[in-house]
Amino acid sequence: MSLSLSRLSLYIVLSLSPFFVSVANAGGVSPYLPMKISPVLENEVERLASVAGIPNLTKPYSLATIYHYMSKVRRSHPTLYSRLNASLKPYEQKFGLTQVSFSARVSDEHHAMPNARGTYSDSNLSANFRGQWQLADWFALYVGGNFTHYEDDALEEVYQASGSMLSMGVDWAQLDIGYKDIWLSPFQGSAQLLSANGQTMPSISLSNNLPIEFFGVRWNYQGFVAQMSRQPVQFKAGEYSDKDKPLLAGFHLSMQPTDWWTIGASRVFQFGGGERPVGIGTLARAFVNPRGADNDAAVDKESGNQIASLSSKINFDGQLPFTFALELAGEDTSNNKSYQLGNTALTTGLYFPYFLSDDISFTYEYSDWQNAWYTNNVYDEGYVNDGFVVGHWAMQVQRESGTAVAGTSHFIKTQWQQNNDHIISAVVRMSEHEDAGSIVFKDAWELQLDYVIPWRTRIVTFGVYVGEDSLGESFSQVSFTVER
């Protein structure tokens, strides 16, 4: 972290620690479940979110929320309750490892993998781990990391401290300082504003780990400030500097007025960096007047780059339960009005936790976006972290080719749990992009097949990953993963 972010973290800890210790009759801090690491556990959690009506439009899910809503399905879905109860046992310990996995891969091409924290397909070894130390109800230390090794000497070995953080607080206000994963989207396959496509950023985050009930309505909120990777930043017309790293600030608020419907809004600001000044006034001006602070301002007066979204999730009960989600996002303002989203992106999706059978789940998500996404005249490389867009995976190829055109994407996922508890999982991703001058994009597709076998206290996965990217390049990968 930068010195300024570290000082801010220390100030917040010293200021708030007496308050957190003195609060009575409130739950304490809670660990978060790993995101995009353990597919089997994640699928069971998504099933719970659908049938129990968890009012979260963001991820990762906290353990406190999962346990709270598990009690609601103990009788209606005993198999789901039993599987989750067994899988979550490691998270109940005060001290120890909660998740460990190792993967070996063989690949023939260099391809950016979607939602894999800035990982390419030709990595031959990787490891993930999560651990926790609960020192008190209000104070905990979580340690995590992702290590990736590439056989090609031209590529660097990458270690990320994803999941490592110091947490303090109560169930309605948990302060997390470190490398917290943040996914601002109700969808499983993509997040337009903030996803796991890029490396996890160091951040300071304040949120509730249990829904806050107020006048019969359940609320969730999250506010954070994160530090992005270094890039050239324009601070005057035609003058760039990479002296300081850009910062990313975000705020999310959602409400569940009924047991079956959740709505929410998110705002994300990319600001600072280079030699641009940083202050509370910059954020306040951008939040209140996005058009005047960005669209109509001179380069040296701009607050930075900001995007926003409105999200909705509806859970339908019955013989064939399903969840319908919808999100409208904007890269800019429209019609010279601050309250209208411009350069819009629309994502919609259906999730069936039990698709014609108690053993099969099915997901379909569709995205459509206009041009100019993840680019900005202030930030030379745009909305990226270490070369990866931190939003929708399908626009990674645009960033790599220096374009920002309109396009669409499809995400299909299904899991089939057999009688012997073996699992067959299939994920299909497709994307289309409009041509950009001399760059002619092709229809891209990829298929990921996994066969999962429980073995004693471990899970063994054999995987195949193949496809063709938007530039017509084919790629393939075979993987072997052991998880505990």
Side-chain angles (χ1 to χ4, degrees):
M1 293 186 186
S2 68
L3 184 61
S4 60
L5 200 57
S6 300
R7 284 179 175 173
L8 179 59
S9 303
L10 180 60
Y11 174 79
I12 292 175
V13 169
L14 295 177
S15 301
L16 297 182
S17 55
F19 168 75
F20 288 138
V21 174
S22 62
V23 173
N25 300 320
V29 298
S30 171
Y32 299 100
L33 299 187
M35 196 174 69
K36 303 302 175 185
I37 291 178
S38 182
V40 175
L41 175 59
E42 290 181 54
N43 189 62
E44 296 301 311
V45 170
E46 291 297 343
R47 277 178 163 167
L48 177 69
S50 180
V51 299
I54 293 180
N56 289 56
L57 296 177
T58 66
K59 299 180 184 68
Y61 294 106
S62 71
L63 185 67
T65 292
I66 298 304
Y67 273 140
H68 178 76
Y69 282 88
M70 275 176 59
S71 62
K72 300 179 180 294
V73 301
R74 186 167 188 171
R75 292 185 178 179
S76 60
H77 298 81
T79 301
L80 175 61
Y81 177 88
S82 177
R83 288 174 178 167
L84 278 172
N85 195 45
S87 299
L88 297 176
K89 287 296 183 184
Y91 295 89
E92 297 177 359
Q93 56 189 333
K94 295 289 184 180
F95 178 80
L97 288 174
T98 56
Q99 188 271 342
V100 181
S101 66
F102 298 93
S103 297
R105 306 184 182 99
V106 177
S107 178
D108 64 347
E109 289 293 337
H110 186 68
H111 172 73
M113 298 179 67
N115 298 326
R117 296 179 178 83
T119 302
Y120 293 96
S121 60
D122 52 346
S123 63
N124 58 347
L125 293 172
S126 68
N128 297 281
F129 73 94
R130 296 290 188 276
Q132 62 189 43
W133 185 13
Q134 192 87 26
L135 289 87
D137 287 343
W138 64 275
F139 188 78
L141 178 65
Y142 303 104
V143 180
N146 310 98
F147 174 80
T148 305
H149 178 270
Y150 294 92
E151 187 174 6
D152 188 347
D153 294 336
L155 298 172
E156 297 181 357
E157 295 179 347
V158 178
Y159 172 76
Q160 303 178 52
S162 305
S164 296
M165 65 189 114
L166 182 151
S167 299
M168 58 188 300
V170 290
D171 55 22
W172 50 269
Q174 177 168 325
L175 180 69
D176 300 306
I177 302 174
Y179 289 80
K180 176 185 176 181
D181 290 319
I182 302 176
W183 179 282
L184 295 181
S185 168
F187 301 100
Q188 298 181 41
S190 66
Q192 195 73 24
L193 267 60
L194 191 57
S195 69
N197 196 61
Q199 292 189 17
T200 305
M201 295 174 280
S203 65
I204 305 170
S205 170
L206 183 68
S207 61
N208 57 307
N209 65 52
L210 269 179
I212 300 172
E213 295 201 23
F214 187 69
F215 288 118
V217 177
R218 285 163 288 278
W219 299 82
N220 282 296
Y221 74 92
Q222 181 170 202
F224 66 88
V225 178
Q227 185 180 73
M228 308 183 80
S229 61
R230 196 178 306 278
Q231 65 167 292
V233 179
Q234 187 174 192
F235 62 97
K236 290 182 180 179
E239 297 185 39
Y240 289 81
S241 170
D242 61 358
K243 177 183 176 182
D244 294 326
K245 298 178 180 179
L247 299 175
L248 193 69
F251 182 74
H252 168 81
L253 180 66
S254 66
M255 60 179 292
Q256 188 184 54
T258 70
D259 290 339
W260 49 270
W261 185 33
T262 305
I263 55 175
S266 300
R267 291 275 295 277
V268 177
F269 306 88
Q270 184 182 11
F271 67 104
E275 297 183 24
R276 299 183 69 84
V278 175
I280 298 299
T282 301
L283 287 177
R285 188 166 65 96
F287 188 86
V288 175
N289 185 17
R291 178 185 61 80
D294 289 338
N295 305 141
D296 294 345
V299 171
D300 58 340
K301 299 296 183 181
E302 285 191 53
S303 60
N305 180 30
Q306 57 179 307
I307 54 181
S309 69
L310 300 172
S311 305
S312 172
K313 183 174 73 171
I314 302 176
N315 299 312
F316 293 87
D317 201 359
Q319 288 188 330
L320 184 63
F322 67 95
T323 295
F324 172 71
L326 182 69
E327 181 178 77
L328 177 65
E331 168 73 27
D332 220 326
T333 56
S334 179
N335 296 324
N336 210 31
K337 297 178 181 179
S338 296
Y339 59 86
Q340 290 188 5
L341 297 175
N343 299 330
T344 57
L346 179 67
T347 303
T348 184
L350 286 170
Y351 172 61
F352 296 88
Y354 301 102
F355 189 64
L356 306 178
S357 167
D358 289 344
D359 302 319
I360 299 175
S361 63
F362 180 81
T363 306
Y364 172 72
E365 296 171 4
Y366 169 80
S367 296
D368 180 286
W369 61 89
Q370 295 178 333
N371 63 355
W373 271 91
Y374 306 144
T375 61
N376 187 262
N377 63 310
V378 172
Y379 298 96
D380 187 55
E381 297 178 7
Y383 192 61
V384 303
N385 190 49
D386 285 323
F388 281 75
V389 296
V390 296
H392 200 301
W393 57 269
M395 279 176 269
Q396 175 65 23
V397 68
Q398 295 190 19
R399 184 266 160 196
E400 293 175 350
S401 59
T403 63
V405 296
T408 61
S409 71
H410 304 264
F411 173 83
I412 303 170
K413 176 184 176 181
T414 184
Q415 281 197 4
W416 173 30
Q417 184 143 8
Q418 303 173 71
N419 293 332
N420 57 359
D421 285 337
H422 291 201
I423 298 173
I424 298 176
S425 174
V427 174
V428 177
R429 296 182 181 91
M430 295 178 288
S431 61
E432 300 176 11
H433 306 265
E434 291 185 358
D435 295 338
S438 60
I439 301 176
V440 179
F441 289 112
K442 297 184 177 181
D443 294 349
W445 66 272
E446 57 185 63
L447 170 65
Q448 183 174 348
L449 291 173
D450 292 313
Y451 189 82
V452 183
I453 304 173
W455 179 57
R456 298 180 180 177
T457 60
R458 297 171 176 81
I459 297 176
V460 177
T461 303
F462 299 91
V464 176
Y465 178 53
V466 296
E468 184 176 285
D469 65 23
S470 298
L471 300 177
E473 298 291 334
S474 298
F475 58 88
S476 63
Q477 179 196 84
V478 177
S479 63
F480 172 77
T481 303
V482 179
E483 179 183 351
R484 185 185 71 82

